[in-house]
Amino acid sequence: MTDPSAGPLTTTSVREAVPGQVRAEPLLKIRDLTVTFASRGRAAVRAVDGVNLDVAAGSTVGIVGESGSGKSVTSLAAMGLLGRRGVEIRGSVDFDGSDLLHMPEQELRAVRGREIAMIFQDPMSSLNPVLTVGRQITEILVRHRGLSGRQARDRAAELLQSVGIGDSLRRLKSFPHQLSGGMRQRVMIAMALACEPRLLIADEPTTALDVTISAQILELLRRLVADTQTALVLITHDLGVVAGLCDTVHVMYSGRIVESAPRRPLFADPRHPYTTGLLASVPRLDAPRGVPLLPIPGSPSDTLPWARGCAFSPRCTRQVDACLGAPPVLEPLALPSHLLRCVNPVPPRKHLG
Amino acid sequence: MSLLEVRGLKVHFPIKKGIVLDRTVGQVRAVDGVDLSVEKGRTLGVVGESGCGKSTLGRAVLQLEPITAGTVVFDGEDLSRLRGSALRAMRRRMQMVFQDPLASLDPRQSVASVLAEPLRTHGVKGPYEKRVRELLDLVGLPGSAANRFPHEFSGGQRQRIGIARAIALNPELIIADEPVSALDVSIQAQVVNLLEELQERLGLTYLVIAHDLAVVRHISDDVAVMYLGSVVEIARADELYARPLHPYTIALLSAIPIPDPEVEDRRERVLLTGELPSAANPPPGCRFHSRCPFRQPTRCADEVPALRVLEGFPGSQVACHFAEQIAARELKPVHAEAAEPAATAHGTDTPPDSRRSSAGSPS
Ligand SMILES: Nc1ncnc2c1ncn2[C@@H]1O[C@H](COP(=O)(O)OP(=O)(O)OP(=O)(O)O)[C@@H](O)[C@H]1O
Ligand SMILES: Nc1ncnc2c1ncn2[C@@H]1O[C@H](COP(=O)(O)OP(=O)(O)OP(=O)(O)O)[C@@H](O)[C@H]1O
Ligand code: SF4
Ligand SMILES: [Mg+2]
Ligand SMILES: [Mg+2]
C-alpha cells in the first residue's frame, strides 16, 4: 500500500527530485521541526532537531528510538501541546493545508477534537479524574459527532467493547481511578476512536498492556486504518509492532531521524549501525536458541552533540574519523525512500536465494 | 536433585471489609496450587499476564509472603519448618533481583555501602573494600563506581549494581523479578548477557520472572506459563515455542510481535477476547475457559484440569483437558468476532502451527 517513492524527505528539493510521484498529498507534513527546551539557569536541550515526516491517509508511520530520543516531543510539538513557556518550536506542521504551528489556539483545539486524536503514553494525563468514563466518551460523541445522548451512550459502550473492556455498560459508570492502568489506557484509546479522527497519533499505545490485550488493540488500529483511511502515527519501542503494522518507519536517535524506510527494506536491509544494533540486541521468539544477543555498548547518555559529529558515535562499533567533526546528513540511498544519516553504514545484507 | 522444589503452593490474601470488625469477605487467590522445580545450575523462567501471581510466587519462595498451603523445599529443607537463625542461614543462599533495585534506596548511600550492606547484616567481618571491588568487577563496572551514588548511574548500570548486591553473599539461587523490563531496549541485552555470564562463572540457579516471553525464552532452560495463580504449562524453552500445548500458551505466543515483516505478514493469530478474570473470583473448572478459543462444551467449565505429562511430549507438562486433541489439530480455535483478522495481512485460516513452520524457514 505504500508507494516506495513517497517516503519522508530531507528537503523540499529532494522531494521534487523524486521521480514517478503518483501519490496524493500527505495529510500531515512536518518540515524541519526543531524543539528546544530552555529554562533559566540550565543549558538548553534540543529535544527534536530538524525532523521531517509525511503521513498519508490510510497509512501507518512508525517512530522508534531510544528513550529520550524525542519521539513524544515530536508529536506533542506538532499538535501544539507543549505549551509556550520555556520551549522554542521551529519548522512547519501542515495538516491538510493548514499550518498547525501558527493556528490560533481556539481553532487548533477544534481541529484536535474533530480531526486529530492522540493516545498518550501516560493515560492519567488525559483523563478527567472527576468525570465517569462514560461521561467523557459520550461528551466527545455529542460534541464532535453530533449524536444524541442515547445514541452516544450505546456507541460509547460499543467502543469500550471494541477495546476489550467487557461489561461495558457497567464500566461506563466507573471513574478513572477505579480502573487498572491497562483499562485506563484502553479507555483513552476508545476516546480517540470516538472522534473518528482523520489522523491518529498513538504514543506507546500498548506498552502498559499485556501482550494478549496489546495484540487485540493493534488489530483494532490496523482495521481502523484499513477501513476508514485514518492516518496513523505509531510511536513505539517495540520493533515487532513496527514490523507488523507500519508502512514507513523512522528511527530516531538523540532528536534526529537517523534512518527511515518502508518497513520491508528497513528490516531486510537496515543500514544505520543503531538500527542494526537494536535488531541484534532484542531476542526474537522465532530465533534458534543459544544465539547470543549482541548488545549496543554504552548507554543512551553517552551521546555527542550533533554539531560535533554523529551523536551515536560514542556507542558505535563502526565509528571512523569522518563521523566526528561535522554532523552526518540524512540522504537517500539507491532506493529513494530509504534515507540514512551515517558516514560508515553497515554494508547491505547479502540476500539468500 | 532439584535445588528448589515447590509443591502445591498457595498464597491467598484476605479481602477485608468494614472498619471496626475487619471482616474477611473473600480471598485473592494470588497463587493457587503451583508445582515446580528447578535443578541446580539451571534457569526456570516464569511468564504470564500482569496479576497472574508471578511476583507473589517469587516472594513466597523466599518466605516473604505468608504461605497458605503447600511447601517450598530448598536444597532438601522445607523452609516453612525453619525459624530464626536456621531460616536466616537459608535465606542467605537465596537472593532477589528487582525491576529497579535502587528505586527504594537512600540516594545518599554510596555504591560501596549498598554492596557492603548485605555483608554487614549477615555478620561478615569487614573491611569490605576488597569484596566490593570484586563484585563491581564481576558485574562489569569500574572500581571507581564504589564511591559514586546510585542516581549518577544509567538504568543499565543501576541494574548491574542491583545484581552485584544480590550476589554479594555468594547465593546459590537468584530470583529475578522483571530484571530488564525497566531498561531501555538497547541495554536490555547487556543485562541479559551479564546474568548468563554470572550463571556460568558462579554456578548460579535462576528463577527468572518476566512478562516478556522472548527474553524469558532466551535465558531459560525451562519455562513455566502461569495463568490466574496456577501453572498451565511447563516445558523446555525450545519446545515451548516449537510446540506450545496449552491454548493459553498458543495464544500468548501468537500475540507476540516478531521484528520481521516477512514473518508478521504470514502469521496467523489466535486472538483472545476479554480480560484476565479476577483472582478473587476465578472461573470454575479450567481457569482459562472464559477466554479459551478451544473451549469445549464438556469438562472445561466444571472440571479443573491437572498439570500432566502428555504422551509423546516427554519434556512438557500441560493443564488442559483437550491437549491431545489440540496437539493433533483435531480441534480448531474459534475466532471471536472482535478478533477476526484483517483481510490485508492475516487473511489465511491456518492452524497456529502452520505459520510457525513458515516462520522457521526464512527461504
Ligand atoms: N518539558 C520538558 N522540559 C525539558 N526537557 C524536556 C521536556 N520534555 C521532554 N524533554 C526532554 O526532551 C528529550 C526527548 O524527550 P521525549 O519525551 O520526546 O523522549 P521519547 O523519545 O518519547 O522517550 P521515551 O521512549 O522514554 O518516551 C528528553 O531528553 C527529555 O528529557
Ligand atoms: N499484599 C497483597 N494483598 C492483596 N492482594 C495482593 C497482594 N499482593 C498481590 N495481590 C494480588 O495478587 C495477584 C497477583 O499479584 P502479583 O503481583 O503476584 O502479580 P504479577 O504476576 O507479579 O503481576 P505483574 O506482572 O503486574 O507484576 C493480583 O491480583 C494482586 O492484586
Ligand atoms: S481445558 Fe478447555 S478451556 Fe481450558 S485450556 Fe483446555 S480447552 Fe481451553
Ligand atoms: Mg515518549
Ligand atoms: Mg510482578
Side-chain angles (χ1 to χ4, degrees), chain A residues 65-68 161-166 180 183 186 207 209-216 218-219 222-223 226 237-241 243-245 263-264 267-268 274 278-301 315 352-353, chain B residues 48-51 154 157 184-190 192-193 196 211-221 237-238 241 248 251-265 267 269 271-276 291 337-342 344-346 359-360 362:
Chain A
E66 206 88 352
S67 180
Q161 205 89 48
S162 74
V163 293
I165 297 183
S180 71
M183 270 195 216
R186 284 178 281 161
T207 313
L209 305 177
D210 281 314
V211 285
T212 59
I213 309 273
S214 165
Q216 201 176 321
L218 294 172
E219 194 57 50
R222 189 201 312 276
R223 273 193 289 152
H237 67 270
D238 190 333
L239 292 165
V241 170
L245 215 62
R263 63 175 179 140
R264 283 171 180 275
F267 284 91
Y274 174 65
L278 267 188
L279 284 166
S281 69
V282 293
R284 266 176 70 156
L285 204 51
D286 62 335
R289 281 188 77 248
V291 178
L293 303 179
L294 300 173
I296 298 178
S299 82
S301 56
R315 303 175 69 188
L352 304 163
Chain B
E49 267 163 296
S50 175
S154 71
Q157 290 170 324
D184 222 317
V185 186
S186 79
I187 42 184
Q188 288 190 357
Q190 295 176 5
V192 167
N193 286 356
E196 288 182 327
H211 66 275
D212 185 332
L213 225 152
V215 169
V216 165
R217 174 175 170 271
H218 181 86
I219 57 177
S220 306
D221 300 298
D238 33 11
Y241 181 78
Y248 178 62
L252 194 63
L253 288 174
S254 87
I256 295 167
I258 289 176
D260 184 341
E262 308 293 331
V263 175
E264 280 293 298
D265 287 358
R267 271 175 107 193
R269 290 214 148 84
L271 287 182
L272 295 180
T273 47
E275 311 265 331
L276 183 70
R291 295 169 78 197
E337 198 267 317
E340 210 74 76
T344 44
H346 307 280

Side-chain angles (χ1 to χ4, degrees), chain A residues 119-288:
Chain A
I119 300 169
F120 295 93
Q121 206 165 357
D122 163 25
M124 253 344 217
S125 65
S126 57
L127 290 173
N128 187 332
V130 301
L131 295 182
T132 64
V133 162
R135 176 81 190 278
Q136 297 186 52
I137 303 177
T138 47
E139 210 172 270
I140 295 170
L141 293 164
V142 171
R143 178 147 33 100
H144 294 299
R145 303 251 68 87
L147 301 191
S148 73
R150 216 212 125 77
Q151 289 171 321
R153 196 154 40 87
D154 292 348
R155 176 76 185 126
E158 223 174 87
L159 283 163
L160 283 192
Q161 205 89 48
S162 74
V163 293
I165 297 183
D167 197 5
S168 50
L169 281 171
R170 188 171 64 86
R171 283 295 175 204
L172 288 175
K173 301 198 185 94
S174 312
F175 290 91
H177 73 265
Q178 295 170 320
L179 303 175
S180 71
M183 270 195 216
R184 275 182 222 140
Q185 185 73 357
R186 284 178 281 161
V187 166
M188 205 168 50
I189 294 168
M191 283 170 62
L193 302 182
C195 310
E196 296 174 30
R198 295 170 67 200
L199 170 67
L200 176 62
I201 298 179
D203 191 351
E204 305 274 7
T206 62
T207 313
L209 305 177
D210 281 314
V211 285
T212 59
I213 309 273
S214 165
Q216 201 176 321
I217 301 278
L218 294 172
E219 194 57 50
L220 190 76
L221 292 178
R222 189 201 312 276
R223 273 193 289 152
L224 181 81
V225 169
D227 298 350
T228 66
Q229 289 296 296
T230 305
L232 175 64
V233 177
L234 189 70
I235 298 173
T236 176
H237 67 270
D238 190 333
L239 292 165
V241 170
V242 168
L245 215 62
C246 299
D247 302 304
T248 305
V249 187
H250 303 278
V251 182
M252 282 187 78
Y253 197 86
S254 197
R256 292 194 182 185
I257 291 175
V258 294
E259 181 162 18
S260 46
R263 63 175 179 140
R264 283 171 180 275
L266 188 90
F267 284 91
D269 195 17
R271 305 294 305 282
H272 197 283
Y274 174 65
T275 316
T276 56
L278 267 188
L279 284 166
S281 69
V282 293
R284 266 176 70 156
L285 204 51
D286 62 335

Side-chain angles (χ1 to χ4, degrees), chain B residues 51-356:
Chain B
C52 72
K54 307 181 294 294
S55 298
T56 306
L57 170 67
R59 294 173 51 80
V61 166
L62 294 179
Q63 309 292 300
L64 298 172
E65 296 286 358
I67 289 172
T68 310
T71 54
V72 176
V73 178
F74 180 79
D75 199 13
E77 295 250 27
D78 182 350
L79 295 184
S80 61
R81 287 163 196 251
L82 300 179
R83 297 278 177 273
S85 62
L87 181 58
R88 267 169 58 90
M90 274 307 203
R91 273 210 183 132
R92 183 181 165 156
R93 298 167 64 189
M94 305 181 270
Q95 295 293 325
M96 192 131 181
V97 171
F98 299 94
Q99 190 167 355
D100 185 358
L102 303 190
S104 59
L105 269 188
D106 184 349
R108 285 162 301 185
Q109 206 179 8
S110 71
V111 169
S113 117
V114 167
L115 297 184
E117 194 170 83
L119 301 170
R120 204 175 294 123
T121 40
H122 276 93
V124 179
K125 291 256 172 344
Y128 307 116
E129 280 78 26
K130 185 159 161 281
R131 182 63 180 152
V132 165
R133 246 153 241 279
E134 250 170 46
L135 288 169
L136 288 173
D137 189 47
L138 272 170
V139 298
L141 288 173
S144 60
N147 302 318
R148 291 165 61 197
F149 293 85
H151 67 265
E152 297 173 39
F153 293 91
S154 71
Q157 290 170 324
R158 266 193 289 203
Q159 193 52 293
R160 287 175 193 272
I161 298 168
I163 292 168
R165 181 174 59 173
I167 60 175
L169 291 160
N170 286 317
E172 289 147 71
L173 175 71
I174 300 261
I175 298 187
D177 192 352
E178 303 282 3
V180 300
S181 59
L183 305 178
D184 222 317
V185 186
S186 79
I187 42 184
Q188 288 190 357
Q190 295 176 5
V191 172
V192 167
N193 286 356
L194 173 66
L195 286 170
E196 288 182 327
E197 203 183 293
L198 289 175
Q199 178 164 47
E200 198 143 299
R201 282 172 75 171
L202 308 175
L204 295 166
T205 304
Y206 286 150
L207 184 66
V208 177
I209 296 166
H211 66 275
D212 185 332
L213 225 152
V215 169
V216 165
R217 174 175 170 271
H218 181 86
I219 57 177
S220 306
D221 300 298
D222 302 283
V223 176
V225 181
M226 277 184 83
Y227 188 81
L228 208 60
S230 50
V231 172
V232 295
E233 181 165 356
I234 297 193
R236 298 283 301 266
D238 33 11
E239 289 280 295
L240 191 83
Y241 181 78
R243 290 190 302 195
L245 295 170
H246 195 280
Y248 178 62
T249 317
I250 294 171
L252 194 63
L253 288 174
S254 87
I256 295 167
I258 289 176
D260 184 341
E262 308 293 331
V263 175
E264 280 293 298
D265 287 358
R266 278 196 201 96
R267 271 175 107 193
E268 171 66 10
R269 290 214 148 84
V270 179
L271 287 182
L272 295 180
T273 47
E275 311 265 331
L276 183 70
S278 150
N281 185 20
C286 172
R287 296 274 157 85
F288 186 52
H289 89 260
S290 59
R291 295 169 78 197
C292 181
F294 292 90
R295 173 184 53 235
Q296 297 299 307
T298 56
R299 303 184 75 190
C300 294
D302 43 47
E303 194 183 323
V304 178
L307 191 65
R308 63 200 171 96
V309 178
L310 229 58
E311 213 174 308
F313 301 89
S316 309
Q317 283 177 279
V318 56
C320 167
H321 296 306
F322 296 97
E324 285 84 355
Q325 289 89 325
I326 292 167
R329 297 204 216 147
E330 286 160 21
L331 297 178
K332 297 250 184 305
V334 180
H335 285 282
E337 198 267 317
E340 210 74 76
T344 44
H346 307 280
T348 51
D349 190 20
T350 39
D353 334 45
S354 61
R355 53 115 181 124
R356 213 159 291 120

